[in-house]
Every structure is written in structure tokens, then in C-alpha cells.
Amino acid sequence: MRVSLCAVPRAQSEIRGALKRLGVVPGDRVALLAGNSHVMLAGHYAVPFAGAVLVPLNIRATAADIAYILDHAGCSVLIYDQQYEDTAVKAPSRRTARCGLIRNRRQAGRTGAVDRGRRAHCVPVSDERGLLAINYTSGTPRVPRG
């Protein structure tokens, strides 16, 4: 799939709108399950612009590992690319806390559509030293570490 850089601001604006509709507030943790794609790129802008903390996930992680990360990081939302839907839907069902889901859906001629939200949401930075992201290791026999 080819994506123009002009499409990225629209995609991240739609994600920010979806985060606002789900009630994401500054400091909330938002997980992102997507490959090396426009979804990952847009998410890396959308989540911080919404004031939230980005938790990127390994696309090769199991649903159990993702559930562990969602719990450990305290994620309230999981954004995922449609091709990882099976894993994304299974992971939150394995955890105790509620987790909102935002699915990127691919349509002919459109690459940045999300299921919820269209209006942009931007939170000013109150502390430039604030938490931006939480990264976890994976691919070892042990549980992921953040």
C-alpha cells in the first residue's frame, strides 16, 4: 500500500478524535498494535497530541503477552490495525480492567479511516519532561518488561 504524507495528518486527527470520544485524558496510556505502516506513524503523533502516553506493541506478541502489557502499563485504549484484529480483540478479554478499542479500517481509496471519531483533539503540553511512551521488550521466554 502506498500512502502520501499528506494523508498522515488526517489519519492522526481522526485517531485523536476517537481518543477524545473514548474519554482519554492527559496521562492515560494508549496501546498501539500496528506494523510498520501509516497507522503506526499516525499513532506516534496522535497519542501524544491527545496528551496520552504511547505504548507501542510488538505485532508478533501473543494475545496473552499483549494482555499482560495492557494490564502492566494500565492502558485504557488499544488502537489496532485491521490485520491484527484477532489478537487485538482477544487481548483485552484476558484482562481485568476495561479497555476501549479503536480499529483502523481499510477502505478503497482511504487509508486513514478509524471506526470512531472525526474531530481533532489536541492537548497543550504542560510539562516537556512528562512521560511520552512506555516501551516493552518481547521475544524472550519471560514476560515482557517495560
Side-chain angles (χ1 to χ4, degrees):
M1 173 192 315
R2 294 190 68 165
V3 177
S4 163
L5 283 179
C6 296
V8 174
R10 182 184 71 227
Q12 64 99 1
S13 179
E14 290 174 349
I15 292 171
R16 285 186 289 142
L19 293 173
K20 182 176 181 178
R21 289 188 51 157
L22 286 173
V24 170
V25 296
D28 281 358
R29 272 55 180 223
V30 175
L32 178 59
L33 180 61
N36 189 11
S37 67
H38 67 287
V39 178
M40 183 62 83
L41 179 61
H44 271 80
Y45 285 96
V47 174
F49 273 128
V53 178
L54 179 66
V55 183
L57 301 170
N58 185 336
I59 58 172
R60 292 177 185 89
T62 65
D65 284 343
I66 290 174
Y68 173 82
I69 293 169
L70 294 175
D71 270 336
H72 189 262
C75 295
S76 58
V77 174
L78 170 58
I79 301 168
Y80 64 95
D81 197 353
Q82 184 174 352
Q83 71 187 63
Y84 305 108
E85 185 162 25
D86 289 342
T87 304
V89 171
K90 288 177 189 171
S93 66
R94 294 174 167 255
R95 55 190 304 255
T96 54
R98 182 189 156 282
C99 186
L101 297 173
I102 299 174
R103 177 177 60 108
N104 180 76
R105 54 184 157 77
R106 295 172 191 236
Q107 296 174 329
R110 283 199 72 186
T111 56
V114 292
D115 282 345
R116 303 175 194 220
R118 296 247 181 230
R119 293 191 354 230
H121 170 59
C122 192
V123 174
V125 175
S126 61
D127 180 5
E128 66 183 34
R129 294 168 295 172
L131 187 59
L132 176 69
I134 301 173
N135 297 296
Y136 282 80
T137 63
S138 60
T140 63
R142 297 181 160 187
V143 295
R145 296 181 182 170

